Amino acid sequence: MNAVLPERAAALLDEVRQRRPRVHCLMNGVVPKFVADGLSALGAIPSMTSSPEEVGHFVAKADALLVNLGTLDARRREAIGIAVGVAAERGRPWALDPAHCDYSPPRAAFAQELLARGPAVLRANAAEYDLLSVPAGVVAVRTGKQDRIAQNGAAFSVTNGHPLAAMVTGTGCLSGAVIAVFLAIEADPFIAASAAMVVFGIAAEMAGETATGPGSFEPALLDALANLGGAHILQFAKADHEQD
Amino acid sequence: MNAVLPERAAALLDEVRQRRPRVHCLMNGVVPKFVADGLSALGAIPSMTSSPEEVGHFVAKADALLVNLGTLDARRREAIGIAVGVAAERGRPWALDPAHCDYSPPRAAFAQELLARGPAVLRANAAEYDLLSVPAGVVAVRTGKQDRIAQNGAAFSVTNGHPLAAMVTGTGCLSGAVIAVFLAIEADPFIAASAAMVVFGIAAEMAGETATGPGSFEPALLDALANLGGAHILQFAKADHEQD
Amino acid sequence: MNAVLPERAAALLDEVRQRRPRVHCLMNGVVPKFVADGLSALGAIPSMTSSPEEVGHFVAKADALLVNLGTLDARRREAIGIAVGVAAERGRPWALDPAHCDYSPPRAAFAQELLARGPAVLRANAAEYDLLSVPAGVVAVRTGKQDRIAQNGAAFSVTNGHPLAAMVTGTGCLSGAVIAVFLAIEADPFIAASAAMVVFGIAAEMAGETATGPGSFEPALLDALANLGGAHILQFAKADHEQD
């Protein structure tokens, strides 16, 4: 698939811009605007409420869902439970980001519970990933210098990206939301997640070319997500089947 | 008034910078910093708490109030009720922004209740606007490619603005807060809202001249709100009485 | 010490980048991303949750703590109580920022209670500072055009800084967090706070050289916090023992 993925990713990106999928994000309280801006830049339509009273209405209107566990509390847990239930009822795909679950045992336990409820994709960094047991069938995305997308024994590695991304709070959270965007338009979550990581990594590289530090990297990343086209993907994608 | 509005708007902007009105914002959880930064850039003094325990103290110190219904929950509802009560007691004008009420029927119902409590101005996009019944006397601002400011049969249209604003989360919320700034210094809410939309639209145009995407548009918009002067308004305002 | 402080500050900054201290911030709901980005740019590792259920786990992993009272409510109070308790148990230093306590009498009373629980440093602007009674031993940092760092009769003044910082929401909050970073690596809180104010002030000056308004100042400040080196401190520090 490595020869094919860039073409698929380029075609999916075009489709995002044409169909403008709605993605509801149960986002932490730290980076909601950054994540919403990133999705808008890419061409999707984000919504962000985490209140239990309203989240069901928002998920019912969405094409895909992201569940991020940052700044978790009792009300967010309740809202997440409702949101995942509505997504299941309506057959909407969702991605799970167990942000910082390595800091908090109750959060790690909640992430494990949610994995049993059938997310299409798990996105986690290495420290988070190592704590969790991923059920068969769930696409597991481990992000880092090299991103690894794995499902049922097949795996892809993506080496696009830029070191400044690690200095900007919320780039990992945004990459999870970008996965949800691609889930909204691509039925195969392995393809969707792989395409998302390629697109996000190339946008980071484009941003890194003009940024003079983490502060200027952030607006440059949003600009790159908006300005990135299929031609950039075909030229710059670095994705390979992993050799085990 | 179309010949007069730019002059009024320019004079009001000068007054904002001299008097530095305090504006308390019951803002959603997504864009509080962006809205606060926008008000500071313009010359106002923002405050942002939404806790029921404290909001009354903050509103008592404010010259005007903005009520934004984004990320609504039970505590925000309680805080909004208190804030609107204090504003009424003290004769402080307030603006209502029923953000995303088209996504959530309970939010739309709450917006309708609040309209009965006497905001000076309602600001909404077309989808939100169409759900609500605006009481006589309330200035209704419907934002979009063309902004329409209406009250008791009179209407103004403002065509200043830039398409990148729609790709940045919170520009609509910020425009509502800018209306509250002008309410703090101008007793006629129709003039205040019209001047606010002209100022905000011109700032967006200035930002659009240097921005290379939605990421760079945001800091450029804040710079423009700070650097915009009366001369820009006189030169660039595009506001007309609507021909019905 | 004025001849010595720049050298100490430069050495401490190097140590921040080598040791990468973890700093947990009980931050208000307005500027969490900006503060986290500022700490990451400087070289520290921030975490930001304010939920009572989890904050103890996060503080247990942290090298220092910041308690900011912005957007205070019952749950934040509870979380703050837990966090300060864990910090005391583990001997972790913490800084208190009574943000906007001049707007709200209950918040000022809570700040006074917290001062009795032994923060290493209080950071406040003049309006906040004047309401509080600082216990002996607590380092008191009063920020403004001139920052004053005082403890037990000794005092330092720092005049580094830039006027645009006052137009960006959260720069004061970020300066408090930078103090917590230096507390994590320097046992003497008077030195730590003085070094932090010098570093932050010089970063603001660097940002002011390229910014064209408050919008562009913010990413420039984050870039400066990342790019600032010991040589800048030695060249630009303006810190003096205060003459009483």
Side-chain angles (χ1 to χ4, degrees):
Chain A
M1 194 178 78
N2 52 335
V4 177
L5 182 63
E7 282 79 1
R8 290 291 292 272
L12 289 172
L13 179 59
D14 277 349
E15 216 173 318
V16 167
R17 272 120 184 207
Q18 284 164 24
R19 288 176 45 191
R20 309 209 61 202
R22 293 183 193 235
V23 176
H24 189 75
C25 303
L26 282 145
M27 185 44 55
N28 59 65
V30 179
V31 296
K33 174 166 163 56
F34 177 56
V35 170
D37 279 340
L39 296 197
S40 296
L42 195 62
I45 300 175
S47 59
M48 311 300 288
T49 194
S50 292
S51 91
E53 297 89 335
E54 295 200 313
V55 71
H57 295 290
F58 280 77
V59 177
K61 286 210 166 204
D63 300 302
L65 176 67
L66 171 70
V67 174
N68 178 298
L69 301 189
T71 64
L72 192 66
D73 61 18
R75 286 174 57 75
R76 280 187 194 275
R77 282 171 185 262
E78 185 189 348
I80 289 168
I82 294 167
V84 168
V86 173
E89 264 172 44
R90 304 202 170 224
R92 297 289 187 270
W94 58 287
L96 174 65
D97 183 337
H100 267 327
C101 71
D102 52 321
Y103 276 68
S104 165
R107 196 182 293 188
F110 187 53
Q112 196 64 58
E113 277 175 45
L114 287 170
L115 277 169
R117 294 186 67 182
V121 178
L122 168 76
R123 187 211 73 87
N125 66 27
E128 295 152 5
Y129 191 89
D130 290 348
L131 286 174
L132 299 170
S133 166
V134 184
V138 174
V139 174
V141 178
R142 193 187 61 210
T143 56
K145 277 188 194 175
Q146 175 176 304
D147 303 318
R148 184 175 188 273
I149 301 99
Q151 186 190 35
N152 298 336
F156 235 84
S157 69
V158 173
T159 52
N160 293 109
H162 194 277
L164 278 174
M167 294 182 69
V168 176
T169 300
T171 48
C173 302
L174 175 52
S175 75
V178 170
I179 291 171
V181 170
F182 282 86
L183 285 175
I185 55 161
E186 165 59 52
D188 180 339
F190 185 64
I191 303 283
S194 301
M197 297 315 295
V198 166
V199 165
F200 193 73
I202 292 174
E205 289 173 9
M206 290 168 67
E209 277 169 30
T210 58
T212 54
S216 49
F217 182 81
E218 180 179 323
L221 178 62
L222 297 173
D223 281 0
L225 286 167
N227 297 330
L228 176 68
H232 296 101
I233 298 176
L234 299 183
Q235 187 174 359
F236 298 117
K238 294 187 231 159
D240 288 291
H241 272 294
E242 207 168 83
Q243 308 300 331
D244 286 325
Chain B
M1 195 178 77
N2 52 332
V4 178
L5 182 62
E7 283 80 0
R8 291 290 293 272
L12 289 172
L13 180 59
D14 277 349
E15 217 174 316
V16 168
R17 272 121 185 207
Q18 283 163 27
R19 288 175 47 190
R20 308 209 61 203
R22 292 183 194 234
V23 175
H24 189 74
C25 302
L26 283 145
M27 186 43 56
N28 58 64
V30 179
V31 297
K33 176 166 163 53
F34 176 56
V35 170
D37 280 340
L39 296 196
S40 296
L42 195 63
I45 300 176
S47 59
M48 310 301 288
T49 194
S50 293
S51 91
E53 298 90 334
E54 296 200 312
V55 71
H57 296 290
F58 280 77
V59 177
K61 285 210 165 204
D63 300 301
L65 176 67
L66 171 70
V67 174
N68 178 299
L69 301 189
T71 64
L72 191 66
D73 60 20
R75 286 174 58 75
R76 279 187 194 275
R77 282 171 185 262
E78 186 188 347
I80 288 168
I82 294 167
V84 167
V86 173
E89 265 171 42
R90 304 200 171 226
R92 296 290 188 272
W94 58 287
L96 175 65
D97 183 338
H100 267 328
C101 71
D102 52 321
Y103 276 67
S104 165
R107 196 182 294 186
F110 188 52
Q112 196 63 58
E113 277 175 44
L114 288 170
L115 277 170
R117 295 187 65 181
V121 178
L122 168 75
R123 188 211 73 87
N125 66 28
E128 295 152 6
Y129 191 89
D130 289 348
L131 285 175
L132 300 170
S133 165
V134 184
V138 174
V139 175
V141 178
R142 192 187 61 207
T143 56
K145 277 188 193 176
Q146 174 176 304
D147 301 320
R148 183 174 188 273
I149 301 100
Q151 185 190 36
N152 298 335
F156 235 84
S157 68
V158 173
T159 51
N160 292 110
H162 193 278
L164 278 174
M167 292 182 71
V168 176
T169 300
T171 49
C173 302
L174 176 52
S175 74
V178 170
I179 290 171
V181 170
F182 282 85
L183 285 176
I185 54 160
E186 165 58 52
D188 181 337
F190 185 63
I191 304 283
S194 300
M197 297 315 296
V198 166
V199 166
F200 193 74
I202 293 174
E205 290 173 9
M206 291 168 67
E209 278 169 29
T210 58
T212 54
S216 49
F217 182 81
E218 180 180 324
L221 177 63
L222 296 173
D223 281 1
L225 286 167
N227 297 330
L228 176 68
H232 297 100
I233 298 176
L234 300 183
Q235 188 175 357
F236 298 117
K238 294 187 230 159
D240 288 292
H241 272 295
E242 207 168 84
Q243 307 300 331
D244 285 325
Chain C
M1 194 177 80
N2 51 333
V4 178
L5 182 63
E7 282 80 0
R8 290 290 292 273
L12 289 171
L13 179 58
D14 277 349
E15 217 173 318
V16 167
R17 273 122 184 207
Q18 284 163 26
R19 288 175 47 190
R20 309 210 60 203
R22 292 182 194 235
V23 176
H24 190 74
C25 302
L26 282 145
M27 186 44 55
N28 59 64
V30 179
V31 297
K33 175 165 163 55
F34 177 55
V35 170
D37 279 340
L39 296 197
S40 295
L42 196 62
I45 299 175
S47 59
M48 312 299 290
T49 194
S50 293
S51 92
E53 298 90 334
E54 295 200 312
V55 70
H57 295 290
F58 280 78
V59 177
K61 286 211 165 202
D63 301 301
L65 176 67
L66 171 70
V67 174
N68 178 298
L69 301 190
T71 63
L72 192 65
D73 61 18
R75 286 174 58 75
R76 280 187 193 276
R77 282 171 186 261
E78 186 188 349
I80 289 167
I82 294 167
V84 167
V86 172
E89 264 171 41
R90 306 202 169 223
R92 297 288 188 272
W94 57 287
L96 175 64
D97 184 337
H100 267 326
C101 71
D102 52 321
Y103 276 68
S104 165
R107 197 184 293 187
F110 187 53
Q112 197 62 57
E113 278 175 44
L114 288 170
L115 277 169
R117 295 187 65 181
V121 178
L122 168 75
R123 188 211 73 85
N125 67 26
E128 295 152 5
Y129 190 89
D130 290 347
L131 286 175
L132 300 171
S133 166
V134 184
V138 174
V139 175
V141 178
R142 193 187 61 209
T143 57
K145 276 188 193 174
Q146 175 175 303
D147 302 319
R148 184 175 188 272
I149 301 100
Q151 184 190 37
N152 299 333
F156 236 84
S157 69
V158 174
T159 52
N160 293 110
H162 194 278
L164 278 175
M167 293 181 70
V168 177
T169 300
T171 49
C173 302
L174 175 53
S175 74
V178 170
I179 291 171
V181 170
F182 282 86
L183 286 175
I185 54 160
E186 165 58 51
D188 180 338
F190 185 63
I191 304 284
S194 301
M197 296 316 295
V198 166
V199 166
F200 193 74
I202 293 174
E205 289 173 9
M206 290 168 67
E209 277 168 30
T210 57
T212 54
S216 48
F217 182 81
E218 180 179 323
L221 178 62
L222 296 173
D223 281 1
L225 286 167
N227 297 330
L228 177 67
H232 297 100
I233 297 177
L234 300 181
Q235 188 175 356
F236 297 116
K238 294 187 230 159
D240 288 292
H241 271 294
E242 207 168 85
Q243 307 300 331
D244 285 326

